[in-house]
C-alpha cells in the first residue's frame, strides 16, 4: 500500500541522515583530537610538535644537594678506572675532562680501546650514595605541582639517575624516560648537539620554550647559547665563586625546591614554593638572599663537574 511505501521511504531517509551525521561528527572529533601519546622518549613520534613549555631537570647536585659528595665519588671511580683498568697515569681522566667536557667523551674522541658498558657500570657503582641521598617529601610535593612537560636530563646514565630518584622518592613523579648520555649519543651537556637531541626526544621544536635547571656552570652556558631559559642551582661554585656572577644564568636558586619562585608559570595555579618564601629580586646587582633571583653580572666562574 502507498502508506507503507511512504513509511519505508521515511525510515530509509532517517537512517541515511543519521549515518551522514555520525560520519560528520566522527570526522570533527578526529580533527579536534589531541595528538597520540608521545610518552616513552620516542623521538620520531614526538618530533615536529610543540606542546607548550618543556622543563629539563638535571640529576646530580640538582634534584638533591649534598656538597658534591656523590659527584666526588663518581670522580674517584673515574680516576680509579683510568689508573687500574686502563693503566693510564694519574690525572689523565681530568686532562680528558678539561679537553672534551667529560672523561668518557675524551676516551671516545681519542679512540681509546675500552669497554663502554663496563666503564659506565663501574664508575656509577655507588653503594654509599644512600648515605647521602635521602627521601625528600617536600621535593616530591614541588615536582608534582609542575604543570608542563618535565624530563630528567642528565650527563650520567639512566640507571644511576633512577637509583637517585628512588632514594629521593620522586621516581613516580616523572612520566618520561630519563634523557641520559646514551640518549644524547654521548655528546656532553657542554655541546649543542646534546640540547638538540633532548629537544627532539621531548618533542619540543622551540628553544624559547625550553627551561633547564642545572648545577653546572658550563651546562648553563651551553643551554643559554642554544636559546634555552636557564636556572643555576647553588649560590656558590665548587671552588667558592659567587654564582650571581655567571652571566648565562637567568636565575640563581639555592635549591631545586626554590624553582616555583623564579618560574611560577610552570606550576599549577596557586601552588606555593616548597620553602614558603617569596621570590626576592636582586637590586642593583646585589647578591640575592637564599633562593632569590638575580640579573646577570659579568665574571666567568668555572668548576669541575664529575664526568
Amino acid at each position: 500500500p502507498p502508506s507503507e511505501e511512504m513509511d519505508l521511504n521515511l525510515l530509509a531517509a532517517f537512517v541515511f541522515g543519521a549515518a551522514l551525521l555520525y560520519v560528520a561528527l566522527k570526522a570533527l572529533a578526529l580533527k579536534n583530537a589531541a595528538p597520540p601519546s608521545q610518552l616513552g622518549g620516542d623521538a620520531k613520534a614526538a618530533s615536529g610538535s610543540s606542546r607548550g613549555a618543556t622543563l629539563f631537570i638535571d640529576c646530580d647536585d640538582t634534584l638533591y644537594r649534598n656538597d658534591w659528595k656523590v659527584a666526588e665519588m663518581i670522580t674517584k671511580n673515574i680516576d680509579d678506572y683510568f689508573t687500574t683498568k686502563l693503566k693510564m697515569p694519574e690525572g689523565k681522566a681530568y686532562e680528558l675532562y678539561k679537553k672534551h667536557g667529560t672523561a668518557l667523551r675524551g676516551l671516545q674522541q681519542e679512540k681509546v680501546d675500552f669497554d663502554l658498558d663496563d666503564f659506565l657500570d663501574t664508575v656509577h657503582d655507588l653503594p654509599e650514595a644512600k648515605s647521602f641521598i635521602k627521601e625528600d617529601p617536600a621535593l616530591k610535593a614541588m615536582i608534582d605541582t609542575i604543570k608542563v612537560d618535565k624530563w630528567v636530563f642528565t650527563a650520567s646514565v639512566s640507571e644511576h639517575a633512577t637509583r637517585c630518584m628512588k632514594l629521593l622518592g620522586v621516581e613516580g613523579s616523572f612520566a618520561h624516560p630519563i634523557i641520559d648520555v646514551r640518549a644524547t649519543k654521548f655528546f656532553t651537556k657542554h655541546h649543542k648537539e646534546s640540547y638538540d637531541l633532548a629537544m627532539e626526544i621531548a618533542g619540543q621544536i622551540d628553544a624559547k620554550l625550553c627551561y633547564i635547571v642545572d648545577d653546572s656552570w658550563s651546562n648553563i652556558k651551553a643551554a643559554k647559547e642554544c636559546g634555552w631559559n636557564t636556572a643555576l642551582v647553588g649560590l656558590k661554585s665548587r671552588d667558592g665563586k659567587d654564582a650571581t656572577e655567571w652571566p648565562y644564568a637567568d636565575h640563581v636558586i639555592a635549591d631545586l625546591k626554590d624553582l616555583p619562585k623564579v618560574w611560577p608559570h610552570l606550576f599549577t595555579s596557586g601552588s606555593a614554593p616548597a620553602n614558603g618564601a617569596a621570590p626576592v629580586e636582586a637590586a642593583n646587582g646585589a647578591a640575592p638572599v637564599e633562593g632569590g633571583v638575580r640579573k646577570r653580572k659579568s665574571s666567568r666562574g668555572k668548576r669541575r663537574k664529575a664526568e
Side-chain angles (χ1 to χ4, degrees):
S3 62
E4 290 183 2
E5 184 177 344
M6 184 178 298
D7 289 341
L8 288 174
N9 289 337
L10 286 173
L11 179 60
F14 176 80
V15 171
F16 181 73
L20 286 178
L21 180 61
Y22 172 79
V23 171
L25 290 174
K26 187 152 184 79
L28 182 63
L30 288 172
K31 181 180 179 181
N32 294 330
S37 173
Q38 294 164 351
L39 300 184
D42 185 345
K44 287 186 179 179
S47 62
S49 68
S50 177
R51 296 163 291 148
T54 305
L55 177 61
F56 298 90
I57 303 174
D58 181 44
C59 177
D60 294 310
D61 301 305
T62 298
L63 276 174
Y64 63 87
R65 299 285 295 170
N66 58 21
D67 295 325
W68 301 287
K69 290 183 176 66
V70 172
E72 288 168 358
M73 286 186 255
I74 295 174
T75 299
K76 183 180 184 304
N77 283 354
I78 293 171
D79 288 336
D80 290 346
Y81 195 95
F82 269 65
T83 56
T84 58
K85 290 202 173 185
L86 300 181
K87 307 301 181 185
M88 291 184 172
E90 291 277 354
K92 185 64 177 179
Y94 186 57
E95 176 188 323
L96 292 182
Y97 158 79
K98 295 293 287 183
K99 183 176 179 181
H100 298 283
T102 67
L104 171 59
R105 183 72 177 170
L107 291 173
Q108 293 174 318
Q109 291 297 103
E110 301 201 2
K111 310 299 182 186
V112 176
D113 184 21
F114 73 107
D115 186 326
L116 175 61
D117 290 331
D118 181 63
F119 174 84
L120 292 172
D121 290 343
T122 302
V123 303
H124 294 103
D125 182 19
L126 305 169
E128 310 95 332
K130 61 185 179 183
S131 300
F132 300 103
I133 303 175
K134 300 297 184 181
E135 186 173 356
D136 191 341
L139 175 66
K140 176 174 171 52
M142 185 276 292
I143 291 173
D144 288 345
T145 65
I146 297 171
K147 67 180 181 181
V148 300
D149 211 18
K150 57 184 182 289
W151 299 72
V152 171
F153 179 24
T154 177
S156 181
V157 292
S158 61
E159 296 90 339
H160 168 69
T162 298
R163 286 192 291 268
C164 294
M165 292 163 68
K166 284 182 177 178
L167 290 172
L168 288 164
V170 301
E171 184 189 15
S173 296
F174 291 87
H176 298 304
I178 294 161
I179 302 175
D180 72 349
V181 67
R182 296 189 187 99
T184 57
K185 301 178 181 179
F186 299 99
F187 285 106
T188 77
K189 289 167 83 174
H190 299 179
H191 296 108
K192 179 181 184 298
E193 292 87 347
S194 180
Y195 298 91
D196 291 342
L197 286 164
M199 287 179 64
E200 181 181 342
I201 292 168
Q204 179 57 264
I205 62 174
D206 189 348
K208 295 189 297 295
L209 293 176
C210 292
Y211 294 75
I212 188 170
V213 54
D214 202 302
D215 72 295
S216 166
W217 292 32
S218 298
N219 296 351
I220 288 293
K221 178 178 184 290
K224 176 50 65 179
E225 290 174 342
C226 290
W228 289 26
N229 302 280
T230 58
L232 177 62
V233 180
L235 302 182
K236 296 285 185 182
S237 72
R238 200 167 176 178
D239 55 4
K241 290 186 174 64
D242 181 359
T244 64
E245 297 177 352
W246 195 230
Y248 302 98
D250 298 325
H251 305 290
V252 176
I253 56 178
D255 186 275
L256 182 59
K257 292 190 287 291
D258 294 317
L259 198 60
K261 301 175 186 178
V262 298
W263 288 332
H265 58 291
L266 302 184
F267 294 81
T268 55
S269 178
S271 61
N275 300 13
V280 178
E281 294 285 347
N284 302 321
V289 299
E290 284 215 349
V293 183
R294 65 104 196 131
K295 294 301 176 184
R296 303 173 187 167
K297 292 189 191 176
S298 60
S299 74
R300 295 200 176 356
K302 295 181 181 178
R303 79 167 182 81
R304 181 181 179 184
K305 176 82 172 173
E307 252 206 315

